[in-house]
Every structure is written in structure tokens, then in C-alpha cells.
Amino acid sequence: MEEALIVEPQPPELSQSGKDAATAIVVNGAPAISRPGIWTPSSWTTKPIKQDVVYEDKGGLEKALAKLERLPPIVTPTEIVKLRKSLKEVALGKAFLLQGGDCAELFDYCEENAIDSKIKLLLQMSLVLIWGANKPVIRIARMAGQYAKPRSSPTEVIDGVTMPSFRGDILNGYDLSERTPDPARLVSAYFHSASTLNYIRGQLSSGIADLHSPLDWNLGHVQSQDLFSKYQKIVDSIAESLRFMKTVGADPAGQGLETVDLFTSHEGLLLEYEQSLTRRMRRPSHRLANSVPTAEDDGRAWYNTSAHFLWIGDRTRQIDGAHVEYFRGLENPIGIKVGPTMKGEELVQLLDIVNPNKEIGKVTLITRYGSSKVESLLGGHIQAVKNSGHVVVWQCDPMHGNTLTTPTGIKTRHFASILSEVSSALKIHASHSSFLGGVHLELTGDAVTECVGGSEGLTEGDLGRRYTTFCDPRLNEKQALELAFLVAGFYRGEEVK
């Protein structure tokens, strides 16, 4: 018998795909050489790209990408497959998806109080939704990586000077002296993401989500006595249910009541970063039942290890574009933002590209029309997807289509418009024998004053009190929880107003 060949380990080098990514950015979109039709983590460099970045420091970019390729994954295939299975349940109407977090996450948010407040808020909202819908709730945070934001223009004029727009901490700083894209921020984004997720995992395993412990619901902000009584009854009902489970010894191992799953997500905008964290890894032994093996299947798949879930934005969803090309090769569950300009046939074509095997729940369609347009657009999209044979997760993003600017130049959103779009989505799905699978919200666990309305009665005059966002306005913790109460009421047969 031949002696086994022993291969000595070699020091890691920047892969050719990493060099291709760096080259594509350096020459501002000049395509790298790739075989037509064959997907690789770098095949996106052969496609036209929107929201691209031009780095002046070409050597720094290649160095940053080389560093990223040598760093370990932030998330694991086992976690990704677990989320895929959960989202299949959502697509089949057996669970509900709650996704929320900051519009543009800052590196400064990587600290315990900011992280804890969002974990607790998502937990409270999910309990309310479980009570209302009588379904498990899957929680995905816009955390640990949501550091890039698309912008309508790469530049802006400030005090008569044209300069690069702030595009998120992964690219440049908000301070005017830090507007030049800095490739070192790519590596910094990795470490802030890893630190945030490490703390989340530690807190969950240490009992921050332990339902045996009392939760602070703090309904003192509700000005209407009728609303206060309504919300208090819901809280009392949830608390009573938890006490009953504890008393009768339900879930004796404590696993269901002492911790929860919380997955991470961000928009997959900066493709050179995403590519550097895309790894071919062995599939977990409990692979998806509806995965279709190919002749080349070696038990491995391409996973984006920067987050459990990534989505394509409304500005980067071009059929022949770089972002769609990159996303079509991932094993991760993915989302696609669906805005007012999306045509039904285009939506089906997108689904065919990124999910050719029509795997159930692989794709989440995140609709973001605006409260004035949802009635005229959602039904057609639902019918087009139904006719195509794709089974997706339908998720409502009631934030992005409802942004407005006050006469004083402050961006805000009205709680009534946000609620109206969710309410319309719920009713339209029901009328088309479909169902809304979840909501996608920009929120914070802090007491900010960025969106007006809600039971607090915030007005445009209140916006200056604590307006801290560096991008789009977010629901504060009271407004977010109130929205959960109202959606839960819909499932309990109450009119959403």
C-alpha cells in the first residue's frame, strides 16, 4: 500500500479571488477575468456594480483584504443552516420573523449597554408577537455588521464644499475630516462585528433572555388610559402564562425558557468585504432536506461567514448586476428588498437566479413601498410569486418608504404611516390567501426622539430632544414595543388602527 502523502502547512496567502476583488475596486469596475456562467466568490467582478467604492490607497486595500481572508469565520455553517430551517417554517406559515436594529450601526455601538438594550427590546417584542400570533418567533438583529449604507449620491455639499458622503463606519467616518474611504476600516468592521456577536452569545448563555426572570415592561409612557389598560392586559397575560409554565414544571431542562436564538444580519453592500469572508466549508451533517445535491457536490458549500442572513438592497438588485451575481452562490438565507419600481416579472426573474431550485424559505422578500403605495403594488407581487412556484418569506419593511423631511430639514417618519403599511400588508396578504411572515424594522433600545407619533405623542417639535441617528430615523423602544402590541392584536382578531 502506498504511503500517505504528508503535506506541510503553508503560510496563508491572499487568494486570487481576493486579488480580483481588490483589482476590481482599484480600477473602478474594470472586470476581472472569470469563466462565463461559473460562480465563484469573485465572479461578481465581471458584472456592472452600483454603490461601488473607489479607494485611493490601493496597497492598503489589498492588505486589508489579505488580513480578512486569514481571519476565522464570525458565524458557522451550523448556525446558518439552523436559521435556514427556521425560515422554512416562516415561509410555510408556522412561525413569524422579527428583524430589527439600527439603520446604520456605528462602531461606537459596540458596547454593553447599547447591545443589551436591543437584545431586551427584541425579546419583549417577540414575546408579544408569540402571544398574539400563537406561533414561534424567529429573531434576527440588524447588528454585528450593519456598518455600510447605500447613498443616493457618493458626494454631498457641506458649507459649499463637495466631499464624499458618509457611507457607514466600514467605509468612512461621519466627521468631515474622515470622509475619504479608508480600507483599514474593513478590518475594524470585522473585529467590531466579532466582538458584538461574542458579547451577544455570552449574554444569551448567561441568562439575559431567561424568561423565569421578571421583565421591565414600563408602560408609563402610554398617555391614553384605554391603550394603557389594553397593553397592561397583554403584559399580565404573558406574565401569567410564564408563571403557569414554571409552576407545572413545563420545559424541565429549562432550555426553552432560559435562552433564545438571536441571529445577525446586514445588507450585503460592500462586496470586497463579503467576498473575503466567503468560505467553502463542510455542510453540517443535518443538511437541509430540500437541498439539491449536484454531480460536483463534495459535501461543502459556499457560506458567507460575516453574518447569518444578508440582503440585497433596493438600489443594488439589478438582474445583471454584481450584487445579484454574488448572492446567487451563497448557502445562507438571503433577503431582497422590493420597492415601488419592482415589476412582477423582474421579481420572478430575480428569484429564479438566486434560488433556481426553489428551496422553501431560502429567500425573504422585504417589501418597502410606503403607506400610500402598498395597496396598489403588493397584491400584484404576491400573485406573480405564487404563479412562479417559489415559496418565500414575505416580510414588511414599513420604514424606508415612509421617510420624510420636516420644514426645518430633519428626516423623520410618522408612526401612523409605519403602522398603516404593516396593517395594509396584513390585510392584502389575507385577501390573496397568503400571509405576512414578518416585519423588518429600524429601531433602537434607547429613548431617542427620531420618529413622531405613537402613544408617547411625539411631535416634530420633539425631534431635537434626542435625535442621535447618523442616517435614517429609528423607532425608539416604546414605539417599537407598541407596534408589536398592535400587530399582535391583529392576530387576536382586533382591527389594526
Side-chain angles (χ1 to χ4, degrees):
M1 188 169 72
E2 289 187 354
E3 184 175 349
L5 178 64
I6 299 176
V7 180
E8 293 294 330
Q10 300 296 315
E13 296 181 355
L14 178 63
S15 71
Q16 185 59 47
S17 62
K19 293 177 182 177
D20 287 347
T23 302
I25 296 301
V26 168
V27 300
N28 193 19
I33 297 174
S34 179
R35 289 180 292 167
I38 303 299
W39 188 90
T40 69
S42 65
S43 57
W44 63 269
T45 61
T46 67
K47 304 287 186 177
I49 188 169
K50 299 287 186 181
Q51 299 288 323
D52 58 330
V53 184
V54 179
Y55 288 95
E56 296 176 1
D57 184 2
K58 299 174 177 61
L61 175 60
E62 190 162 345
K63 182 179 179 181
L65 297 179
K67 176 68 172 177
L68 287 172
E69 289 205 342
R70 297 170 188 173
L71 291 169
I74 297 176
V75 301
T76 69
T78 298
E79 295 169 336
I80 292 168
V81 169
K82 186 174 186 180
L83 177 59
R84 280 280 302 269
K85 289 185 173 182
S86 296
L87 290 176
K88 180 179 179 180
E89 295 296 290
V90 177
L92 295 174
K94 300 177 182 178
F96 191 86
L97 172 60
L98 171 63
Q99 188 169 4
D102 289 294
C103 167
E105 195 177 6
L106 301 180
F107 292 163
D108 284 347
Y109 296 166
C110 184
E111 60 92 19
E112 59 180 310
N113 293 325
I115 298 170
D116 283 348
S117 65
K118 282 189 275 284
I119 294 175
K120 291 175 181 177
L121 176 58
L122 289 171
L123 173 63
Q124 285 185 306
M125 293 176 70
S126 65
L127 285 176
V128 173
L129 292 168
I130 290 169
W131 173 87
N134 198 27
K135 298 177 182 179
V137 170
I138 313 305
R139 306 163 187 86
I140 303 181
R142 290 172 57 115
M143 291 173 66
Q146 178 58 11
Y147 297 123
K149 286 295 293 182
R151 302 306 298 264
S152 55
S153 172
T155 61
E156 61 183 335
V157 178
I158 300 178
D159 296 331
V161 179
T162 300
M163 59 182 57
S165 299
F166 173 61
R167 300 175 67 178
D169 271 357
I170 193 172
L171 289 174
N172 58 2
Y174 187 78
D175 189 275
L176 300 184
S177 65
E178 299 178 336
R179 290 298 179 93
T180 300
D182 179 3
R185 286 176 172 269
L186 296 167
V187 178
S188 186
Y190 170 92
F191 285 111
H192 281 88
S193 297
S195 295
T196 298
L197 184 52
N198 180 64
Y199 182 74
I200 290 172
R201 286 174 171 144
Q203 285 294 81
L204 291 177
S205 66
S206 299
I208 192 174
D210 187 352
L211 300 185
H212 294 102
S213 303
L215 294 168
D216 179 15
W217 293 91
N218 190 16
L219 298 176
H221 66 281
V222 181
Q223 297 179 2
S224 165
Q225 187 58 46
D226 288 342
L227 277 179
F228 179 88
S229 298
K230 175 183 174 181
Y231 296 163
Q232 189 61 54
K233 286 180 181 178
I234 295 175
V235 170
D236 291 344
S237 177
I238 293 171
E240 181 61 31
S241 297
L242 294 173
R243 283 194 297 269
F244 174 79
M245 293 176 69
K246 183 178 179 181
T247 300
V248 300
D251 190 37
Q255 294 303 306
L257 295 180
E258 291 182 359
T259 189
V260 299
D261 289 320
L262 182 63
F263 301 98
T264 62
S265 68
H266 61 259
E267 180 177 352
L269 187 64
L270 202 57
L271 294 184
E272 68 272 24
Y273 176 82
E274 304 301 346
Q275 176 192 314
S276 297
L277 290 169
T278 303
R279 312 286 166 80
R280 188 162 180 81
M281 304 176 73
R282 186 168 299 281
R283 289 190 177 97
S285 56
H286 50 286
R287 60 178 295 162
L288 293 162
N290 61 335
S291 291
V292 180
T294 65
E296 298 80 22
D297 195 342
D298 62 354
R300 296 175 180 271
W302 288 105
Y303 294 91
N304 181 302
T305 64
S306 69
H308 302 106
F309 178 98
L310 296 96
W311 70 87
I312 306 173
D314 197 42
R315 291 187 175 98
T316 54
R317 55 169 175 75
Q318 295 76 24
I319 294 288
D320 61 347
H323 289 81
V324 171
E325 170 62 22
Y326 171 74
F327 271 73
R328 77 178 178 92
L330 298 180
E331 190 80 357
N332 304 59
I334 63 171
I336 301 174
K337 286 290 186 86
V338 180
T341 61
M342 177 80 83
K343 305 299 182 185
E345 57 271 21
E346 180 187 11
L347 178 56
V348 172
Q349 192 176 354
L350 272 172
L351 289 172
D352 288 342
I353 292 171
V354 300
N355 188 23
N357 295 325
K358 297 185 177 179
E359 297 178 49
I360 299 172
K362 157 79 175 183
V363 180
T364 296
L365 296 181
I366 311 165
T367 60
R368 34 93 74 224
Y369 308 110
S371 61
S372 64
K373 298 178 180 179
V374 60
E375 298 276 356
S376 61
L377 295 170
L378 177 56
H381 285 154
I382 292 172
Q383 201 57 50
V385 173
K386 270 191 168 186
N387 293 341
S388 74
H390 285 277
V391 181
V392 303
V393 174
W394 287 101
Q395 189 183 38
C396 177
D397 167 5
M399 309 296 293
H400 285 89
N402 293 303
T403 307
L404 54 85
T405 303
T406 69
T408 56
I410 302 175
K411 288 171 69 174
T412 190
R413 290 159 172 159
H414 284 274
F415 184 86
S417 298
I418 293 168
L419 177 61
S420 175
E421 183 161 357
V422 175
S423 173
S424 294
L426 286 162
K427 295 172 184 175
I428 294 168
H429 276 286
S431 69
H432 284 77
S433 300
S434 176
F435 46 84
L436 182 64
V439 290
H440 186 122
L441 306 171
E442 291 185 340
L443 53 80
T444 176
D446 299 327
V448 300
T449 54
E450 297 168 1
C451 294
V452 298
S455 56
E456 283 184 282
L458 293 179
T459 67
E460 291 183 3
D462 296 315
L463 294 177
R465 282 167 38 197
R466 198 176 178 195
Y467 193 98
T468 62
T469 182
F470 283 76
C471 197
D472 290 338
R474 305 158 294 176
L475 295 170
N476 64 30
E477 84 285 15
K478 297 179 177 64
Q479 292 166 328
L481 189 57
E482 180 175 4
L483 187 65
F485 280 132
L486 293 168
V487 173
F490 173 88
Y491 286 101
R492 289 278 175 147
E494 300 174 9
E495 182 74 12
V496 180
K497 300 178 180 178

